[in-house]
Amino acid sequence: MFRYHSVYGHVEKLAEEILKGAASVEGVEAKLWQVPEILSEEVLRKMKAPPRSEVPDISPKQLADADGFLFGFPARYGMMSAQFKVFFDATGSLWNKQTLAGKPAGFFFSTASQGSGQEETPFTSITQLVHHGMLFVPIGYTFGAGMFEMENVKGGSPYGSGTFGEHEIGEPSELELAQAFHQGKYFAGIAKKLKGSQ
């Protein structure tokens, strides 16, 4: 299952590509879910945020049903968005029983600029996984030459796929979308192996 929060659509576009990558692995069922929005319609209107997509919201209890997770969010001051933090803060009953322990998890993200946390954001988010006993699955340098692109600005890092996007400006590049597809496929293969070894 892939959960995300996206105000302007950058993270959502990565999520859609990650879903395609995961679906390309035989025997893997992947789904997209959004975490609930906590900002009022008035605030979102002032931010010029587009309407939310039709992807359903998820409750923390539904995490127990999945074999693995990729969590996607925009960066806020080098950390996950408040919406995602509120979602994680509501997982106390799962933490208490260690329901998510041993399940693989990873991240994908969007930042406003190159210096806005393409590595720091997932790094600061790992604490959420650690307290739940989840297994962090980064992509490392498995994306090959795409990880070393220097001719064009590209989001993403060994921690996970990423993009740059400020408000309604920009779209993920073809290379960023290819990295997201790769992350979905790579992660799904690992989750499948872990599930098969149980």
Side-chain angles (χ1 to χ4, degrees):
M1 285 198 200
F2 307 109
R3 286 137 190 89
Y4 68 91
H5 170 246
S6 188
V7 175
Y8 296 103
H10 301 94
V11 172
E12 184 171 52
K13 285 181 178 57
L14 292 178
E16 291 166 353
E17 211 56 35
I18 285 170
L19 180 66
K20 291 176 191 174
S24 74
V25 176
E26 187 178 336
V28 170
E29 179 185 349
K31 296 179 183 178
L32 286 182
W33 299 87
Q34 292 186 85
V35 298
E37 181 58 69
I38 61 174
L39 297 176
S40 70
E41 288 297 323
E42 180 183 358
V43 169
L44 290 169
R45 218 175 9 263
K46 288 180 181 179
M47 293 172 59
K48 299 180 182 171
R52 282 172 53 96
S53 73
E54 298 296 317
V55 172
D57 283 352
I58 189 169
S59 72
K61 290 181 181 178
Q62 289 173 284
L63 292 175
D65 299 331
D67 296 323
F69 319 96
L70 283 174
F71 300 113
F73 36 78
R76 295 293 185 266
Y77 305 112
M79 296 182 284
M80 66 176 59
S81 63
Q83 290 85 341
F84 226 97
K85 182 67 169 76
V86 166
F87 178 80
F88 266 118
D89 285 348
T91 62
S93 63
L94 298 172
W95 166 81
N96 189 42
K97 297 175 184 170
Q98 286 294 285
T99 305
L100 308 179
K103 294 187 179 194
F107 302 114
F108 57 103
F109 36 82
S110 171
T111 63
S113 65
Q114 291 180 8
S116 295
Q118 289 284 315
E119 289 196 350
E120 182 180 20
T121 301
F123 184 74
T124 60
S125 302
I126 290 172
T127 59
Q128 307 297 319
L129 308 184
V130 169
H131 283 272
H132 280 284
M134 290 187 266
L135 308 174
F136 178 51
V137 180
I139 59 171
Y141 286 87
T142 62
F143 187 49
M147 294 298 292
F148 301 99
E149 171 63 40
M150 297 296 284
E151 297 296 317
N152 299 295
V153 175
K154 177 192 82 67
S157 70
Y159 291 92
S161 58
T163 189
F164 297 108
E166 184 173 359
H167 307 295
E168 65 271 12
I169 301 169
E171 298 281 326
S173 70
E174 289 302 314
L175 186 57
E176 290 168 336
L177 294 172
Q179 185 180 43
F181 181 93
H182 169 77
Q183 183 177 15
K185 184 175 182 178
Y186 178 75
F187 182 86
I190 289 175
K192 182 179 177 180
K193 285 179 189 173
L194 287 171
K195 179 73 174 171
S197 69
Q198 296 176 354

